[in-house]
Amino acid sequence: MSTSNLSLSRRLCDLLGQVYPEQDVEALAEEVIDAFWPEGSHRRKQGRKPGNNLWSEKDSVLITYGNSIVDKAHKPLDVLHDFLKRHLQGVIHGVHILPFFPFTSDDGFAVTDYRAVNPQLGDWPDIQRIADDFHLMSDLVLNHMSSQSAWFNNYLQGKSPHDKFFYEASPTDDLSAVVRPRTTPLLREVETSDGPRHVWCTFSHDQIDLNFANPEVLVEMLRIIRMHIDNGVRILRLDAVAFLWKEVGTTSIHLPQTHAIVQLMRLLCDYTQETVVLLTETNVPRTENLSYFGNRNEAHAVYNFPLPPLILHAMQSGSAEYLLRWQSAMPPAQLGCAYLNFTASHDGIGMRPAEGVLPPEEKERMIETVRSIGGLVSMRALPGGGEEPYELNCSFFEAMRATFNGEDAYHLARFIASQTIVMSLEGIPAFYIHSLLATPNDHEAVERRGMNRAINRHRWDYAELNARLADPGSNQSLVMAELSRRLRLRGEQPAFHPNATQFTLRLDDRIFGLWRQSLDRDQSIFALHNVSDETLGISPMAVNLIEGDDWMDLLTGEVISPTGEDIVLAPYQCRWITNRKAE
């Protein structure tokens, strides 16, 4: 065995020993290697070292369902591909297609078959065509599977190997400490060939949790990852990964075995010939979320979950006080790691990440404001009983319609400013398709489908959408054009590399200000965002513009003098002031 293979095997054995101390870890390591690199496939001789070359300032991600845009003549994945090429080529470089597998509920997150594409969307060749033109992200819904899947049916019938694939517990177990994102009962009683059993359901009774204490589950999941990589996937989103390992008497979230499994997946990705990025989805407070970077040996990227509620609060309150306070304390991502920045996703605007950051009274004002423009609120169960707000359900575009003082004339400007903050921050910006398309709340979908999250999962008719994008006065055209312009500009600035230096500026609580500097220190950008409806002036000296350099605002083309008059920001105006023109 070569030295590199020996190194990989030893590290695998160490991680597997942490998770499965009772197993023959050497034999299990060979199983893992064979699953991830089946006969005929090849791996790197040495693992990738952490570095800043997995992404660049040109990278950004669109988040979409495979059928967010439809017509009556073509497969939805083909419609999506046409939309991407027609409207976003050269603007967006990565595409996260939310679960595109056969499913029974939760809009794709109750998967029945990890190896198939939902035939109502298309097939693997359609996925591959998108992957040929864009950096493709897929969901690994690894915590749970549909109650109507073949795997679970086999479990009910006692058929090997799936008879040991799902996690069981007893109603008499002490489950009081378990952290839940839902209010439904944790256990579901089912009838099996061996009699009644209670299966663990973190999310819903149609989503049965897999039993990773059985190493066969892990090995099978690695086979599935390999198949996705072979079909063009280059970013693996580990959905709900924090809940992966369960243990009666504990919180069953963020347990050491979960982190060891993420480290194992990272190790395998570091040895793939393909460049594969691991992204963890952990909608939890900051310290817990950042723990998934590990010591540069877990996720390559983590969602910056506090951003949505904090940006929403800043824009609604007219003060960036809490956003500034939080950002000032945020560490730069470790070498080889990056934040994924966003304001909206297919889920609601999570409130848990705001814990310890926003005072209760400020959260209550946000909730009242969102409700005033037709938004909804979803709750979560608390350990020991009771409920609290888990997320706000509202399109982010609609959430920008009003401030704490009510509706005004600045809806579009406020929304554009909120998305510009995402572009300016250290990390990779991501945009939900309904943000780029200025989609309003879909109340009809909520009523028809009976779920709050449907409010932000509108399905556009492609002909109608193209007509709106062709109309220069529509919200869809205005928002798409301006966000596309800013994204193209951003992609030309080395100071916006996801790992470029960042420093939070404390100028005025109404201004969210950042200093970004390129890795080679050649370019600086002072990104200033007015989150208020007031016109503000900032002295050039306050932002430390160096005399002798030529400074200009990339967004307006205006020349800025280091010793001149105040830099004026109109209500909700953003400025990217740089000493280096785009090449």
Side-chain angles (χ1 to χ4, degrees):
M1 186 179 288
S2 70
T3 305
S4 61
N5 286 347
L6 197 60
S7 173
L8 174 60
S9 295
R10 282 176 178 166
R11 293 167 70 189
L12 278 175
C13 286
D14 179 57
L15 290 168
L16 290 167
Q18 295 176 41
V19 183
Y20 307 109
E22 305 301 319
Q23 296 286 326
D24 178 348
V25 293
E26 292 186 1
L28 187 53
E30 287 303 312
E31 275 192 69
V32 164
I33 289 172
D34 289 343
F36 206 72
W37 289 286
E39 189 174 350
S41 60
H42 304 281
R43 60 179 177 270
R44 292 168 58 94
K45 291 182 178 178
Q46 302 216 343
R48 279 184 194 82
K49 304 297 183 188
N52 294 325
N53 56 354
L54 289 175
W55 36 68
S56 77
E57 57 272 15
K58 296 186 180 299
D59 281 302
S60 55
V61 176
L62 176 76
I63 305 165
T64 181
Y65 282 102
N67 59 358
S68 290
I69 308 171
V70 294
D71 65 14
K72 295 178 181 177
H74 304 90
K75 291 180 286 187
L77 286 173
D78 284 344
V79 175
L80 174 62
H81 194 195
D82 185 79
F83 168 78
L84 292 169
K85 290 196 297 182
R86 183 184 300 194
H87 297 290
L88 293 175
Q89 196 94 46
V91 176
I92 293 284
H93 294 80
V95 179
H96 171 203
I97 306 178
L98 289 151
F100 47 76
F101 318 105
F103 71 99
T104 52
S105 64
D106 200 17
D107 282 348
F109 287 92
V111 177
T112 59
D113 186 353
Y114 294 109
R115 298 180 177 277
V117 174
N118 182 352
Q120 294 183 356
L121 299 178
D123 208 342
W124 282 113
D126 308 309
I127 292 291
Q128 291 161 0
R129 280 191 291 274
I130 294 174
D132 287 341
D133 292 329
F134 297 88
H135 211 59
L136 180 63
M137 183 195 305
S138 78
D139 277 284
L140 188 65
V141 188
L142 75 173
N143 180 70
H144 47 261
M145 200 172 190
S146 168
S147 66
Q148 298 175 52
S149 63
W151 287 14
F152 193 64
N153 284 331
N154 289 342
Y155 161 82
L156 295 176
Q157 296 172 47
K159 291 183 179 178
S160 180
H162 301 127
D163 58 332
K164 296 182 175 63
F165 264 44
F166 295 91
Y167 196 87
E168 299 176 352
S170 167
T172 61
D173 289 334
D174 179 9
L175 305 175
S176 60
V178 174
V179 172
R180 298 287 312 290
R182 299 288 186 273
T183 56
T184 52
L186 176 62
L187 301 184
R188 172 188 171 183
E189 184 175 358
V190 294
E191 193 63 38
T192 76
S193 59
D194 292 325
R197 294 287 186 274
H198 289 83
V199 290
W200 190 290
C201 304
T202 298
F203 289 88
S204 80
H205 282 190
D206 187 39
Q207 294 162 294
I208 316 298
D209 284 37
L210 290 161
N211 180 18
F212 276 85
N214 174 5
E216 289 187 60
V217 174
L218 174 63
V219 172
E220 183 60 21
M221 201 58 70
L222 296 176
R223 292 191 188 101
I224 290 162
I225 292 176
R226 166 46 58 187
M227 189 205 72
H228 288 192
I229 293 171
D230 289 344
N231 278 286
V233 171
R234 293 296 176 265
I235 307 173
L236 288 165
R237 178 184 182 270
L238 304 185
D239 175 65
V241 67
F243 302 99
L244 197 66
W245 196 271
K246 291 84 171 141
E247 204 168 289
V248 170
T250 74
T251 59
S252 292
I253 186 172
H254 314 310
L255 295 185
Q257 295 90 336
T258 293
H259 284 282
I261 288 172
V262 176
Q263 289 175 34
L264 183 146
M265 291 180 175
R266 167 64 180 269
L267 176 62
L268 296 175
C269 288
D270 284 346
Y271 274 86
T272 55
Q273 289 196 325
E274 308 86 355
T275 303
V276 179
V277 169
L278 212 56
L279 170 68
T280 50
E281 186 265 334
T282 50
N283 190 357
V284 292
R286 182 184 71 179
T287 303
E288 299 167 44
N289 189 32
L290 295 184
S291 72
Y292 285 86
F293 279 144
N295 185 21
R296 301 186 303 175
N297 61 349
E298 292 191 34
H300 294 96
V302 301
Y303 282 86
N304 213 342
F305 273 111
L307 273 181
L310 289 176
I311 290 178
L312 175 64
H313 179 269
M315 307 309 294
Q316 289 182 340
S317 68
S319 170
E321 175 190 355
Y322 295 104
L323 180 61
L324 285 164
R325 189 182 301 174
W326 167 80
Q327 186 59 60
S328 297
M330 275 292 284
Q334 303 173 51
L335 183 67
C337 300
Y339 296 109
L340 189 78
N341 299 320
F342 71 111
T343 57
S345 73
H346 63 290
D347 291 338
I349 299 163
M351 296 300 285
R352 279 213 69 203
E355 289 175 12
V357 182
L358 287 176
E361 61 272 19
E362 294 299 316
K363 288 193 279 189
E364 190 56 41
R365 294 178 77 188
M366 289 169 62
I367 291 170
E368 290 174 6
T369 303
V370 166
R371 280 180 167 149
S372 75
I373 47 89
L376 305 170
V377 181
S378 294
M379 310 297 285
R380 76 179 183 101
L382 294 172
E387 296 179 354
E388 72 173 11
Y390 178 68
E391 65 183 19
L392 308 179
N393 300 109
C394 185
S395 88
F396 210 86
F397 178 72
E398 285 294 292
M400 292 293 98
R401 179 176 295 280
T403 69
F404 290 168
N405 296 320
E407 296 189 27
D408 56 26
Y410 295 114
H411 182 192
L412 279 176
R414 188 158 48 239
F415 178 72
I416 295 292
S418 74
Q419 303 309 293
T420 306
I421 289 174
V422 171
M423 297 183 205
S424 303
L425 282 162
E426 176 199 340
I428 301 165
F431 304 89
Y432 187 38
I433 191 167
H434 293 306
S435 291
L436 280 185
L437 297 178
T439 307
N441 287 334
D442 192 337
H443 291 284
E444 185 276 330
V446 174
E447 188 172 338
R448 174 169 43 86
R449 302 186 59 200
M451 58 183 283
N452 285 358
R453 285 178 168 179
I455 200 170
N456 194 27
R457 297 179 182 179
H458 180 71
R459 222 168 265 176
W460 279 100
D461 174 78
Y462 198 23
E464 178 192 356
L465 177 60
N466 278 325
R468 294 205 188 188
L469 290 173
D471 173 6
S474 73
N475 285 340
Q476 286 66 44
S477 178
L478 290 167
V479 168
M480 174 77 94
E482 184 57 22
L483 293 184
S484 296
R485 182 182 81 89
R486 295 188 183 199
L487 277 167
R488 284 193 181 95
L489 267 175
R490 180 189 185 280
E492 297 168 351
Q493 316 306 324
F496 282 143
H497 184 285
N499 299 113
T501 298
Q502 175 172 288
F503 184 78
T504 308
L505 304 174
R506 299 307 296 256
L507 304 165
D508 183 306
D509 281 348
R510 295 164 293 180
I511 295 176
F512 182 64
L514 302 165
W515 172 60
R516 302 295 308 279
Q517 186 181 58
S518 58
L519 295 171
D520 63 7
R521 299 191 178 186
D522 183 49
Q523 182 188 26
S524 285
I525 294 178
F526 291 93
L528 309 177
H529 316 85
N530 184 357
V531 303
S532 77
D533 59 2
E534 302 171 75
T535 299
L536 305 174
I538 295 293
S539 166
M541 296 179 67
V543 293
N544 230 13
L545 300 187
I546 299 171
E547 288 190 51
D549 283 2
D550 295 324
W551 296 91
M552 65 170 290
D553 180 357
L554 288 165
L555 295 175
T556 64
E558 179 185 349
V559 174
I560 306 291
S561 169
T563 57
E565 297 178 353
D566 282 359
I567 301 166
V568 176
L569 289 95
Y572 304 105
Q573 183 178 5
C574 303
R575 288 187 177 272
W576 287 345
I577 300 171
T578 185
N579 61 340
R580 176 186 181 277
K581 293 185 180 180
E583 295 176 356

